[in-house]
Amino acid sequence: MNFELKPLNLVALANEKTDLLILLVSQDFKPGKDELSVLIAQTLKQGDFLTKAGTVLSLYRPVQANAPKVLLAGVGDGHARGVRGALAACAASLKASSVKKAIVGFAGPAHEDAVRAVPLAVAEASYVYTHTKSKPEARTLQKVLVAATNASEVKSSFDTGAATVAGVEFAKEWANRPANYATPTLLAQAAQSIAKSAKVTCEILGPKEVVKLGMGSFMAVAQGSDEPLRFIVLQYSGAPKAQPPVVLVGKGITFDSGGISIKPAAEMDEMKFDMSGAASVLGTFRTLAELKPAINVVGLIPACENLLNGKAVKPGDVVTSMSGQTIEILNTDAEGRLVLCDALTYAERFKPAAVVDIATLTGACVVALGGVRSGLFTSKPELADALYKAGEASGDLCWRLPLDDDYADGLKSNFADVANVAGRAGGAITAAKFLQRFTEKFDWAHLDIAGTAWKGGAAKGATGRPVPLLVEFLLSRVAGR
Ligand code: BES
Ligand code: MN
Ligand code: ZN
């Protein structure tokens, strides 16, 4: 999809030829004397249309425009949330096979957050998964023109939004692919495809290299599957070498059966999404490759399946992590922390400015925060602040949860330095406490995206979160922005 921003007012919009014209009307709409303004004003006056977000009035071949279909869409106060609601309500039209070109016009000046939200919301509304359909009906929408009278002022927000779409869609695509179409090997190839861009390099480690590194914890998870593990190292170099990088670590469990501590059958298919953290790292790199900000970023992805065979790791087994700490694996379904801890130790070699791991880590986080906000854990107030703000600014929300040391009590083991599970209580926090043991050498934050990375039910599918949050977080660290 191609996005373009133009400084068109309603007079100009009336002449612009398009398959679909969506006019975003806020509560602050001030009608001019032009025909479209008059039309909108009339619908409002008659009570046939409201500016409340989510309200849509559709018009067929109105004489006031040069489009077969015009939608008036209320956006409430005109900010991002209203725009998202409005464009979601236009989804059926944005998906229509007759619509190749759409115009989304602000009836009046546009807020920056709203402009950034438009490409993301249009992409979301028109997304179709095709990879494993025999007769794919791909997205027909190709060109999206966004019109705002103050286009020059909001250009950079728009560009950020459009580039973020590429990352979100990359993340969605890989998270949505079934586990037999998204093996660790294929995930590594996806990472390599991003490294074709300037400033991005990719290195793939396999079982041999991982043995040499001493990643005994990661290997223990992978050993129950015939599919070989991959450890993916992506590097984006947008700033001088001397500048310490931000390291993103993504959980890449391409399927989580639970292992010997096997999961119940219901909804187990959704565990193909257990590499959503990895997908969000790939997506973020996809956007970095496009925006080319002046920053250094490393992406680390431990990728493997959590399955069960005769060689699978068993409850009670003790393994030695790359850090040297021994771990008693009491529950093989708590595998995310086992692959992440070795990746966190590997991160030390980059002398990072900060490390953020992203993981569909715990069902407990889904219980705590649902699908609205990701769980945010860090002991560093500056990191907490920056990540929280990045969430608010991008609409990809998160919420901080605590890391008091008392929460680690349940991780004590009689047979190793630490156990991989504590009791049921505070499960998202005890998981974070486990990870924290491997982060002494740098500033670290953890995002538990178990509730936000995908939707279940009829709308089952990946969300592409938290790519918008991560992109905003990284951009906010670029000096002078
Ligand atoms: N991938 C799951 C977490 C998960 C569960 C995400 C449901 C989204 C929906 C993770 O590997 C897991 O199984 N965690 C266990 C940990 C437990 C054994 C301490 C969980 O949350 O039940
Ligand atoms: Mn698990
Ligand atoms: Zn898992």
Side-chain angles (χ1 to χ4, degrees), residues 453-469:
W454 77 87
K455 289 182 186 146
K460 192 190 289 181
T463 60
R465 291 176 68 182
V467 171
L469 183 159

Side-chain angles (χ1 to χ4, degrees), residues 38-52:
V38 172
L39 174 67
I40 297 169
Q42 271 174 352
T43 64
L44 287 167
K45 196 169 161 212
Q46 296 287 324
D48 291 322
F49 171 60
L50 307 167
T51 57
K52 197 170 150 253

Side-chain angles (χ1 to χ4, degrees), residues 78-80 106 109-119 150 152-158 160-161 393 481:
H79 282 282
F106 286 86
H111 299 293
E112 280 200 41
D113 63 325
V115 173
R116 174 160 64 168
V118 170
N150 56 336
S152 60
E153 289 157 37
V154 293
K155 170 97 168 75
S156 91
S157 297
F158 177 79
T160 304
R481 177 182 175 259

Side-chain angles (χ1 to χ4, degrees), residues 86-346:
L87 291 169
C90 299
S93 300
L94 286 164
K95 277 197 181 122
S97 59
S98 57
V99 177
K100 284 204 181 96
K101 176 184 173 181
I103 300 180
V104 179
F106 286 86
H111 299 293
E112 280 200 41
D113 63 325
V115 173
R116 174 160 64 168
V118 170
L120 284 154
V122 169
E124 172 74 29
S126 60
Y127 177 83
V128 263
Y129 172 83
T130 59
H131 191 64
T132 44
K133 301 265 194 180
S134 70
K135 296 180 188 69
E137 282 177 30
R139 166 194 270 149
T140 37
L141 185 62
Q142 277 160 21
K143 197 169 160 42
V144 181
L145 177 62
V146 180
T149 51
N150 56 336
S152 60
E153 289 157 37
V154 293
K155 170 97 168 75
S156 91
S157 297
F158 177 79
D159 290 343
T160 304
T164 306
V165 167
V168 164
E169 299 222 323
F170 198 89
K172 267 191 183 179
E173 179 59 35
W174 279 94
N176 277 336
R177 289 190 185 184
N180 59 331
Y181 286 84
T183 60
T185 307
L186 290 168
L187 213 58
Q189 285 170 13
Q192 274 167 325
S193 77
I194 299 170
K196 289 195 183 106
S197 321
K199 301 188 192 227
V200 183
T201 61
C202 178
E203 188 190 353
I204 308 295
L205 311 185
K208 273 189 204 146
E209 290 90 351
V210 164
V211 173
K212 254 190 220 146
L213 285 164
M215 292 183 163
S217 185
F218 177 26
M219 279 159 26
V221 176
Q223 78 194 31
S225 164
D226 294 343
E227 207 52 69
L229 65 77
R230 291 289 182 266
F231 190 81
I232 303 169
V233 184
L234 275 163
Q235 291 193 256
Y236 168 79
S237 311
K241 253 205 168 110
Q243 189 171 311
V246 172
V247 179
L248 303 177
V249 181
K251 173 177 172 183
I253 298 296
T254 59
F255 188 77
D256 181 11
S257 71
I260 298 291
S261 315
I262 197 164
K263 288 181 180 293
E267 291 168 12
M268 205 208 271
D269 65 291
E270 294 188 12
M271 284 299 121
K272 71 171 184 177
F273 294 119
D274 211 19
M275 36 59 76
S276 297
S280 77
V281 173
L282 296 180
T284 300
F285 270 75
R286 178 72 186 71
T287 296
L288 288 174
E290 202 143 305
L291 284 178
K292 301 196 169 54
I295 184 177
N296 293 331
V297 186
V298 173
L300 302 178
I301 298 173
C304 69
E305 293 184 330
N306 185 23
L307 281 185
L308 55 163
N309 62 19
K311 291 197 198 95
V313 71
K314 303 169 290 298
D317 284 2
V318 173
V319 299
T320 304
S321 66
M322 185 178 171
S323 73
Q325 296 179 70
T326 58
I327 304 165
E328 185 184 15
I329 301 181
L330 289 174
N331 189 322
T332 65
D333 197 10
E335 85 297 340
R337 61 199 80 180
L338 296 175
V339 305
L340 289 170
C341 69
D342 281 342
L344 288 167
T345 301
Y346 188 88

Side-chain angles (χ1 to χ4, degrees), residues 457-478:
K460 192 190 289 181
T463 60
R465 291 176 68 182
V467 171
L469 183 159
L470 293 171
V471 168
E472 177 59 25
F473 168 69
L474 293 172
L475 292 180
S476 76
R477 298 180 65 97
V478 176

